[in-house]
Amino acid sequence: MTADGQAVAGTPVAGRGVRAGGPLAAPPRAVAAIAAVTVAVLLAVSPWYGYHRDELYFRMLGERPRLGYFDTPPLTPMIARLSTTLFGDTVVALRIVPALCTGALVVLVALAARELGGGRTAQILAAAGTATSVLPLVAGHALLTLTPDLVLWSAVTLCLLRVLLRGDGRYWLWTGALCGIAAYNRDLIVVLLGGVGLGVLVAGPREVLRDRRLWAGVLLALAIASPNLVYQATHDWPQLQMAQALRIDEGADNRASFVPLQIVLLGPVQAVVCAAGWLRLWRNRRVRSLAIAYPVACALILYSGGRPDYTGAFLLYLFAAGCVTAAGWRWRAALATALAAGAVVAVVVALPVVPAASLGGTPVAAVNEVARESVGMRDVAAQTARVVDGLPAAERAGAVLLAANYGEAGALRRWAGEFGLPAVYSGHNELWWWGPPPEGTRVVVSVGYPPADLATVFTRCVPAGRLSGMPGEERGVPITVCRDPVRPWRQLWPSARHYS
């Protein structure tokens, strides 16, 4: 035991206030304070900029509760539905849960450091480093699928640490329950379980696999996740179809950015600590499986063309382990200074502190997609409304909107009441399954579809301008007024489907 109250790596003893094999104890008050400040800051900046395009989509999906959607499991849309029901239909309401999730994440990473033998210094370092990292701040500012993922995966990791370090098989049941819930957000939880499972088979401790509670946990996970699994099986495994579409659409870019973003996701200083954490885990046979799981996950994600942030939860437990080592460094004061400097950069990159009007000309827009896609979404509806208002009264009464992607559809839906917009339809992802416009619809105001494509399915199409004033994906997309489809909508709609 060190002077800081840290256990020597590989020694299964409890930190201060923790009974070996007993329940998880509360973290130091400083950790709770860091978590509370993080939540407060995220809530304070939550109305800045505006809705992210994904938030508008989840809000729209949440209007139609289902066990699953073609491109996403139901958890995040259900959070959007509950948030708007309980707190109001505002951007701040949607961001209450993300802020709370990040506060919980700060505590979970500190607890992971404690479980790995870290004393008070290590736990505070873990909490502060997590609260000032780019990825947790991004996930805490907007409601994304990443938001519940980081919390659920980190909770699973903490349970696995209890199993591996303490031999406490009760946590297999908690692992199963959490994994079952996580499957309602993204099926990628199997990457974490598969990576750690492979690591246990290769490096041990294999005796944890003989615990009957492991199989009880597996059954519990399957029982909880079964409605979502049934939906997937009865809908031709849409998540696999979406994964294939994303691999084709974004795979090359994701692979090219994968390595540099492993550093950017947490921060350069945190990346150094992560490297120390990986080495610490590798040297301890009881948790070497977690060290093995990270490169295994990276290989799988690279092969499939998945996004670099899919490794977020892995990086967080590496950081927690690294904080146990870093707490004993003689130059930890310099480390704290570097973390403070990195925190300033992380806040500027991850949170909406750059004025929205000048965001497009800054590196932040290039690095942070969430910031870039959170500016100007209301303008999508406002500018489309001007086109709709310019239609002759007879046409305006029967017109519909046709959006090329879910962000545009979500924006048009969100502000339809304010601007008096007609119903919106889209062939993108889940929205295609909601069906085409009513038969007999003759006038369409299209947002985002290429005019050349529209000319093949309508008798007449007239350009009506392009979206402007936003730095994200919607900038410059065409608005087109089309009349008289060449075939019935039921025949045209199959060709409108597209996934990305």
Side-chain angles (χ1 to χ4, degrees), residues 189-210:
I189 187 66
V190 299
V191 175
L192 174 62
L193 296 177
V196 175
L198 177 62
V200 170
L201 288 173
V202 171
R206 298 185 186 89
E207 62 268 18
V208 301
L209 301 178
R210 294 193 288 270

Side-chain angles (χ1 to χ4, degrees), residues 22-119:
L24 290 169
R29 290 181 180 178
V31 170
I34 292 169
V37 170
T38 303
V39 173
V41 170
L42 289 169
L43 289 176
V45 303
S46 62
W48 299 2
Y49 290 177
Y51 290 94
H52 183 262
R53 62 199 309 273
D54 286 6
E55 291 177 302
L56 292 167
Y57 182 48
F58 294 140
R59 176 193 170 278
M60 192 173 180
L61 293 183
E63 294 177 3
R64 299 189 183 189
R66 294 183 178 179
L67 289 175
Y69 303 93
F70 190 85
D71 53 337
T72 183
L75 180 59
T76 306
M78 289 305 97
I79 292 174
R81 173 65 179 266
L82 288 173
S83 296
T84 55
T85 301
L86 295 176
F87 308 124
D89 195 4
T90 67
V91 66
V92 174
L94 277 185
R95 292 176 175 176
I96 292 173
V97 170
L100 294 174
C101 283
T102 298
L105 182 65
V106 168
V107 175
L108 286 169
V109 176
L111 287 173
R114 182 177 200 151
E115 201 61 30
L116 287 160

Side-chain angles (χ1 to χ4, degrees), residues 226-238:
S226 58
N228 181 50
L229 295 175
V230 168
Y231 170 86
Q232 292 289 319
T234 56
H235 289 75
D236 199 22
W237 299 101

Side-chain angles (χ1 to χ4, degrees), residues 36 47 117 354 362 412:
V354 177
T362 69
L412 297 171

Side-chain angles (χ1 to χ4, degrees), residues 63-383:
E63 294 177 3
R64 299 189 183 189
R66 294 183 178 179
L67 289 175
Y69 303 93
F70 190 85
D71 53 337
T72 183
L75 180 59
T76 306
M78 289 305 97
I79 292 174
R81 173 65 179 266
L82 288 173
S83 296
T84 55
T85 301
L86 295 176
F87 308 124
D89 195 4
T90 67
V91 66
V92 174
L94 277 185
R95 292 176 175 176
I96 292 173
V97 170
L100 294 174
C101 283
T102 298
L105 182 65
V106 168
V107 175
L108 286 169
V109 176
L111 287 173
R114 182 177 200 151
E115 201 61 30
L116 287 160
R120 184 174 184 274
T121 300
Q123 293 171 59
I124 294 173
L125 183 62
T130 301
T132 55
S133 295
V134 171
L135 189 65
L137 289 177
V138 169
H141 174 60
L143 178 59
L144 313 168
T145 51
L146 175 68
T147 304
D149 262 357
L150 289 179
V151 177
L152 290 168
W153 289 34
S154 294
V156 168
T157 301
L158 186 59
C159 291
L160 291 173
L161 284 172
R162 288 295 278 190
V163 171
L164 296 172
L165 286 170
R166 317 288 181 170
D168 192 342
R170 292 174 299 176
Y171 283 88
W172 280 130
L173 299 175
W174 282 107
T175 299
L178 289 166
C179 288
I181 296 170
Y184 284 92
N185 195 57
R186 272 200 292 215
D187 298 330
L188 287 169
I189 187 66
V190 299
V191 175
L192 174 62
L193 296 177
V196 175
L198 177 62
V200 170
L201 288 173
V202 171
R206 298 185 186 89
E207 62 268 18
V208 301
L209 301 178
R210 294 193 288 270
D211 191 320
R212 293 180 180 177
R213 287 168 292 190
L214 164 62
W215 307 111
V218 171
L219 291 175
L220 182 59
L222 291 174
I224 294 173
S226 58
N228 181 50
L229 295 175
V230 168
Y231 170 86
Q232 292 289 319
T234 56
H235 289 75
D236 199 22
W237 299 101
Q239 288 292 288
L240 296 179
Q241 295 184 50
M242 278 302 305
Q244 175 68 4
L246 290 172
R247 184 184 67 81
I248 295 171
D249 190 50
E250 302 176 3
D253 290 340
N254 288 339
R255 294 186 186 97
S257 63
F258 187 87
V259 172
L261 280 180
Q262 294 301 289
I263 298 173
V264 172
L265 289 175
L266 293 187
V269 180
Q270 285 90 333
V272 173
V273 178
C274 283
W278 187 90
L279 188 60
R280 185 180 189 89
L281 294 174
W282 178 258
R283 288 173 173 171
N284 184 345
R285 190 186 71 86
R286 296 201 67 84
V287 288
R288 188 174 295 165
S289 56
L290 291 170
I292 293 171
Y294 174 64
V296 169
C298 289
L300 289 172
I301 293 167
L302 277 168
Y303 174 76
S304 64
R307 296 206 312 263
D309 61 70
Y310 290 171
T311 63
F314 295 84
L315 294 173
L316 287 170
Y317 74 65
L318 292 179
F319 179 67
C323 287
V324 182
T325 299
W329 288 345
R330 285 179 291 183
W331 43 281
R332 59 178 178 266
L335 174 65
T337 302
L339 278 174
V344 175
V345 176
V347 166
V348 172
V349 170
L351 298 182
V353 297
V354 177
S358 57
L359 178 67
T362 69
V364 173
V367 173
N368 186 353
E369 179 271 344
V370 174
R372 185 174 68 246
E373 300 293 350
S374 298
V375 173
M377 295 307 295
R378 183 177 179 277
D379 289 337
V380 173
Q383 294 174 36

